[in-house]
Amino acid sequence: MKRFFITVLLIAWGLCASAVERSQTIVYINGSKYYVHTVRKGETVRALSQAYGVSETAILSNNPTMRGGLKEAANIKIPYVAPSESSVPQSERKLRKMFDRHTVAKGETFYSISRRYEIPVSTLMADNPSVDPAQLRLGESLLIRKTQIGTEDAAGSQAEWEEYRDRLNSLSGDSVSYHIVQPGDTFYSLARRFQVSEQQLSELNNGLNAAGLRIGAMIRIPDEQSVVSQPVDAVQSDSLPESFREVPQIMFRALRAKQPLQVALLLPIEAQGEVNPNYMEFYQGFLLGLDSVRTRYGYSVDVALYNTKRDAERVRAILEMPDFSRTQLIIGPVYEESGLQDVVEYAERHEIPVVSPLAHIERVRSDILFQMAPDSVGKYDKMADLFGLEKRISLIYSEYTDPEFEREIFAYLGDRPCRRFDYKYEHETSRLEKSSSDLTPLLENDEDNVLIVMADSEIDVDRILAGIASADTNLKARGRTVPRFVVLGNARWNRYNNIDRTMFFKNHVIFSSTYHAKRDAQIVRDFDSAYIRAFGTLPTLYAYRGYDAAMIFCPAMYNDIEYDMEGRVYAPLQTVYRFEYPVTNANHVNRNWMRVDYNPDFTITLQ
């Protein structure tokens, strides 16, 4: 009977263990490998121990918060035990057949290597199970699965890399979190943002310093709880510019669903006797947006249009009009120097949100101010894969250079090595002569090329893009293998009327743009049709922005405005908006730039 009881007990124990579904999610933490397990109802430490083949003591010691008991839905880490058979072939012959080898060079990150080979991050992890993705070692050898090379785009790699970070950050009981280094991040700015000294940040990351910081790297930072518990000595008020200090905080109250909303639209519709069609189109797009707000949400919204005439005195007069006192949301004025400070002071007294729909605000600072134009600081945040150390970067100059674009590029390149090519158009040259208009030398290599066109002339840009396409064609005609290349362009090119836009696709041109709308997308086609029916003409980007302003801020007045719209993502048509409240800026600023990729298959990808 005793033996029978023991047998039953062991069977029950086995059933308990088998009820635990082993996680397939694996992470590295401080050089050790763990499963990430999400606790389910009824699971016990003993069952976890049996399912994963590790001791209960090991599980408890790695999860201090578990000593009070398992909590359903909590993520815990369980020491990894290697399976008896590896999925990676062991013979060198099979390895050479299925894989290339990559030796980690100075400055490379797991993410940058995945982008170099255009291979999924998950594949690179699976094929290199002994490698810590967040802590690559110089000279370490990685297996690169040949069949997966060239199968993943930048968006996919970024999403998988961020997913891996999120897995790490989901574990309870750790005193650190993980952050992916973005373009523009510096050791100083990261220390300030996460409220630690530079020395503490270095100690958290095994002696990492400013020189070793790389875009795409995953670094350790203090978690939110430890930051709160520390004395906040990282961002002192006296370290901020004078204009940022002592900005009054305004608490907005959302309207009730049945309460009507009164919007004031301050636009320079007409100045010095001439109507500005751009702002009339913005107004018309805004009206279509209001129609959608009423239809979709059922809110009652009225708009009053005020012509500012781009005059500060006129704006002050508008603020004193009796009808203006009913205003609950202000959009405009467009120009900072044309009365924005007066509008903000009025709005602060009456706790009214103010939206700057088009301009970058440089001087006015207020908690009530929302800027729809993206913050210039983050312009190239989505271009991390273009600025990696594995890229061969070439700067193409012509007689006229765009100085602003050049400053932006140099700011992101830092001390990153690059090559300069001086382009000069030559109508006719001998075949034996070396021509400065021949761009073939830029592609005579076996590297990943990023070609950055610095020209500020429509004619030169058109010729350079044609020259790159011609170099590609000539190399192929000679039986040469053309290396991977993209062209980083300037969004101002979209203003050119006579440029051959098929070259955007042939050369895989990439822009960082404040706004983009693909006319072949259904949502944009629907808007275009409605706009043509209402106003008899095809809309421009000003009409799109007006629609966005209505669709974002009018519904927000009934809910999101109470939270300053922080952490919300809005995409009325195709352009995405994400408002944040930077520590060095009192305004609520859109932090999302649109990355626009023109692909060789004549499709456009938006990020």
Side-chain angles (χ1 to χ4, degrees):
M1 184 68 181
K2 183 177 181 181
R3 181 180 298 175
F4 174 76
F5 175 76
I6 293 173
T7 302
V8 170
L9 184 61
L10 289 174
I11 291 173
W13 192 5
L15 288 173
C16 184
S18 64
V20 174
E21 184 178 344
R22 284 174 61 123
S23 171
Q24 299 302 309
T25 301
I26 298 171
V27 297
Y28 267 90
I29 301 175
N30 296 331
S32 298
K33 199 171 181 179
Y34 298 90
Y35 292 102
V36 178
H37 180 85
T38 302
V39 177
R40 296 183 178 181
K41 186 176 182 180
E43 290 181 343
T44 65
V45 177
R46 176 173 291 183
L48 293 173
S49 171
Q50 290 292 304
Y52 285 95
V54 297
S55 69
E56 295 179 42
T57 302
I59 295 175
L60 290 170
S61 64
N62 280 282
N63 300 276
T65 58
M66 282 177 54
R67 299 199 180 274
L70 284 176
K71 294 182 180 179
E72 186 179 354
N75 283 335
I76 61 174
K77 57 187 179 184
I78 298 178
Y80 175 83
V81 177
S84 57
E85 296 182 3
S86 173
S87 61
V88 179
Q90 296 301 310
S91 73
E92 189 61 33
R93 180 172 171 271
K94 287 185 177 180
L95 286 175
R96 286 197 302 269
K97 185 177 181 180
M98 295 181 63
F99 298 93
D100 287 335
R101 284 193 180 273
H102 176 88
T103 302
V104 178
K106 183 178 180 180
E108 286 188 319
T109 66
F110 203 83
Y111 175 78
S112 71
I113 293 170
S114 75
R115 292 307 309 131
R116 174 173 182 170
Y117 294 97
E118 297 180 352
I119 187 171
V121 169
S122 56
T123 299
L124 200 56
M125 288 181 181
D127 291 337
N128 298 275
S130 62
V131 173
D132 182 352
Q135 297 290 324
L136 286 185
R137 298 189 300 272
L138 185 65
E140 196 167 21
S141 180
L142 300 183
L143 295 176
I144 310 296
R145 187 174 290 270
K146 292 179 180 179
T147 58
Q148 292 294 295
I149 294 175
T151 64
E152 185 64 280
D153 59 15
S157 291
Q158 182 177 347
E160 286 194 319
W161 194 224
E162 290 175 351
E163 182 182 0
Y164 183 73
R165 175 206 58 198
D166 293 343
R167 289 181 205 163
L168 290 168
N169 289 339
S170 71
L171 293 169
S172 58
D174 284 338
S175 60
V176 296
S177 297
Y178 291 81
H179 169 77
I180 297 173
V181 178
Q182 303 294 321
D185 281 349
T186 66
F187 217 66
Y188 174 85
S189 69
L190 290 171
R192 289 292 184 261
R193 185 189 314 172
F194 299 115
Q195 302 181 9
V196 294
S197 69
E198 292 182 59
Q199 180 179 351
Q200 289 171 316
L201 187 60
S202 176
E203 291 171 352
L204 280 172
N205 291 280
N206 301 322
L208 179 70
N209 56 25
L213 196 66
R214 293 290 183 268
I215 295 169
M218 194 173 296
I219 64 171
R220 288 189 287 270
I221 58 174
D223 68 1
E224 292 183 3
Q225 290 182 348
S226 64
V227 168
V228 172
S229 64
Q230 294 174 1
V232 181
D233 58 357
V235 183
Q236 300 293 345
S237 62
D238 57 3
S239 69
L240 301 176
E242 185 68 34
S243 58
F244 296 159
R245 301 180 205 165
E246 299 180 359
V247 174
Q249 301 297 297
I250 306 296
M251 298 297 292
F252 298 117
R253 292 185 179 180
L255 301 178
R256 297 186 302 276
K258 299 299 183 181
Q259 188 175 352
L261 169 64
Q262 184 67 43
V263 182
L265 203 55
L266 306 181
L267 299 174
I269 294 292
E270 174 269 327
Q272 298 179 348
E274 294 185 4
V275 174
N276 190 317
N278 293 336
Y279 302 119
M280 182 56 72
E281 289 164 0
F282 181 96
Y283 173 55
Q284 292 169 341
F286 191 88
L287 292 179
L288 288 184
L290 290 189
D291 288 342
S292 295
V293 169
R294 297 182 186 111
T295 302
R296 190 174 305 179
Y297 302 104
Y299 298 139
S300 174
V301 184
D302 293 317
V303 61
L305 175 63
Y306 297 91
N307 178 24
T308 65
K309 299 185 177 181
R310 200 170 179 175
D311 184 301
E313 288 294 332
R314 168 70 176 169
V315 169
R316 283 191 281 272
I318 291 171
L319 297 175
E320 295 176 359
M321 292 180 179
D323 289 347
F324 199 86
S325 62
R326 300 198 303 268
T327 298
Q328 296 156 301
L329 171 65
I330 301 173
I331 298 180
V334 173
Y335 299 101
E336 185 172 7
E337 68 275 12
S338 301
L340 179 60
Q341 183 63 55
D342 295 294
V343 170
V344 164
E345 291 175 1
Y346 175 94
E348 285 178 342
R349 291 194 301 271
H350 297 85
E351 300 182 349
I352 301 172
V354 176
V355 179
S356 175
L358 299 167
H360 290 271
I361 306 304
E362 301 292 339
R363 297 176 300 279
V364 179
R365 297 285 176 259
S366 175
D367 188 39
I368 55 91
L369 188 55
F370 293 81
Q371 176 180 305
M372 293 184 70
D375 186 1
S376 58
V377 173
K379 185 171 183 179
Y380 296 97
D381 284 357
K382 296 181 180 178
M383 304 289 186
D385 58 307
L386 303 185
F387 292 94
L389 288 176
E390 76 282 5
K391 299 294 184 180
R392 178 187 174 100
I393 299 177
S394 300
L395 309 179
I396 305 175
Y397 283 83
S398 67
E399 183 179 359
Y400 301 101
T401 300
D402 185 325
E404 182 178 348
F405 185 55
E406 184 182 43
R407 284 194 298 271
E408 292 173 354
I409 294 302
F410 283 154
Y412 275 84
L413 284 175
D415 58 358
R416 172 78 170 79
C418 55
R419 296 162 177 80
R420 176 176 176 134
F421 186 96
D422 291 303
Y423 173 87
K424 184 177 180 182
Y425 177 72
E426 296 178 12
H427 183 62
E428 291 184 1
T429 57
S430 168
R431 291 184 178 180
L432 300 177
E433 295 177 354
K434 184 178 180 181
S435 171
S436 57
S437 62
D438 180 13
L439 298 176
T440 305
L442 291 173
L443 299 179
E444 292 180 319
N445 59 76
D446 58 356
E447 301 182 58
D448 289 347
N449 293 266
V450 178
L451 311 178
I452 306 178
V453 181
M454 298 292 197
D456 192 29
S457 159
E458 179 175 358
I459 294 175
D460 282 344
V461 170
D462 193 45
R463 286 172 173 169
I464 289 171
L465 293 179
I468 295 170
S470 178
D472 181 17
T473 301
N474 291 339
L475 287 171
K476 290 176 180 174
R478 286 153 47 189
R480 300 278 298 277
T481 300
V482 180
R484 289 192 290 268
F485 73 91
V486 299
V487 174
L488 178 57
N490 190 332
R492 295 187 186 89
W493 296 357
N494 286 315
R495 302 175 188 173
Y496 296 156
N497 295 319
N498 300 312
I499 197 168
D500 183 0
R501 282 177 167 73
T502 60
M503 294 301 164
F504 288 3
F505 296 98
K506 290 184 177 181
N507 293 322
H508 193 172
V509 171
I510 299 175
F511 293 126
S512 187
S513 179
T514 61
Y515 199 93
H516 190 82
K518 294 168 58 180
R519 292 194 185 275
D520 61 343
Q522 186 62 49
I523 190 170
V524 178
R525 287 206 304 265
D526 292 343
F527 175 82
D528 288 352
S529 298
Y531 191 91
I532 292 170
R533 287 195 302 270
F535 306 109
T537 185
L538 195 66
T540 67
L541 291 182
Y542 283 90
Y544 294 144
R545 182 77 89 178
Y547 178 85
D548 286 357
M551 286 296 292
I552 293 172
F553 288 95
C554 292
M557 291 297 293
Y558 291 88
N559 39 64
D560 290 351
I561 199 65
E562 285 195 349
Y563 309 100
D564 290 334
M565 304 170 70
E566 293 286 325
R568 272 57 169 181
V569 175
Y570 305 91
L573 289 173
Q574 284 191 315
T575 294
V576 176
Y577 301 81
R578 175 172 50 85
F579 295 96
E580 293 184 5
Y581 191 72
V583 70
T584 55
N585 191 330
N587 306 335
H588 304 275
V589 182
N590 175 22
R591 297 299 300 274
N592 189 72
W593 285 79
M594 296 298 293
R595 170 169 165 163
V596 185
D597 286 42
Y598 290 82
N599 304 310
D601 61 357
F602 288 89
T603 61
I604 297 176
T605 304
L606 301 179
Q607 295 183 37

